[in-house]
């Protein structure tokens, strides 16, 4: 199994910054992609940013230029630096990863973190 633990959520004023972290542990051979999704009340979960081995980094248009995704392959960790936060960024943020597991060949597995609340409010 693989576990994802997120941290770094909280409440910040508009224009402020937060940094989310995600740590993956367990039976991981390699991480193919690590990304961040968010879900606001009454809305569907949406992709915020993803860092993949094959496709590089991609961002939702709404966060381009404000958010930065990063990944440390040696430590199996990822982060989302969020700057110039807006009230519309308020949501529960979820870490997502796609991995190859040791002993399971080329089967790709997907895992989700438990979610962390980000609130942007004055």
């Amino acid at each position: 199994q693989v576990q994802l633990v997120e941290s770094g959520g909280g409440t910040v004023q508009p224009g402020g910054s937060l940094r989310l972290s995600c740590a993956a542990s367990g039976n991981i051979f390699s991480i193919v992609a690590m990304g961040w999704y968010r879900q606001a009340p009454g809305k569907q979960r949406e992709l915020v940013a993803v860092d993949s081995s094959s496709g590089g980094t991609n961002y939702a248009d709404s966060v381009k230029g404000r958010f930065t995704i990063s990944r440390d392959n040696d430590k199996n960790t990822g982060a989302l630096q969020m700057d110039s936060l807006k009230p519309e960024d308020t949501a529960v943020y979820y870490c997502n990863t796609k991995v190859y597991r040791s002993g399971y060949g080329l089967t790709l597995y997907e895992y989700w973190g438990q979610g962390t609340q980000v609130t942007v409010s004055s």
Side-chain angles (χ1 to χ4, degrees):
Q1 268 291 10
V2 173
Q3 296 79 38
L4 295 180
V5 177
E6 302 158 356
S7 60
T11 299
V12 64
Q13 292 186 341
S17 298
L18 282 174
R19 183 177 179 86
L20 305 182
S21 297
C22 179
S25 63
N27 184 16
I28 298 171
F29 178 73
S30 68
I31 294 180
V32 174
M34 185 171 277
W36 293 89
Y37 290 71
R38 67 187 181 187
Q39 187 167 19
K43 295 187 177 181
Q44 289 189 332
R45 190 173 297 188
E46 62 175 359
L47 175 68
V48 176
V50 63
D51 182 349
S52 66
S53 300
S54 59
T57 57
N58 286 283
Y59 297 90
D61 288 342
S62 59
V63 307
K64 282 181 181 177
R66 300 188 298 120
F67 290 11
T68 304
I69 190 171
S70 61
R71 184 156 62 109
D72 186 327
N73 292 326
D74 292 335
K75 297 181 179 179
N76 288 340
T77 58
L80 183 69
Q81 177 66 39
M82 304 185 295
D83 299 318
S84 302
L85 282 160
K86 303 176 181 180
E88 50 263 43
D89 294 318
T90 295
V92 177
Y93 284 70
Y94 296 91
C95 179
N96 171 277
T97 190
K98 297 177 177 64
V99 307
Y100 291 121
R101 297 170 60 188
S102 298
Y104 288 83
L106 295 178
T107 301
L108 201 60
Y109 291 84
E110 181 177 28
Y111 297 93
W112 292 89
Q114 79 282 3
T116 185
Q117 177 70 46
V118 171
T119 302
V120 185
S121 174
S122 55

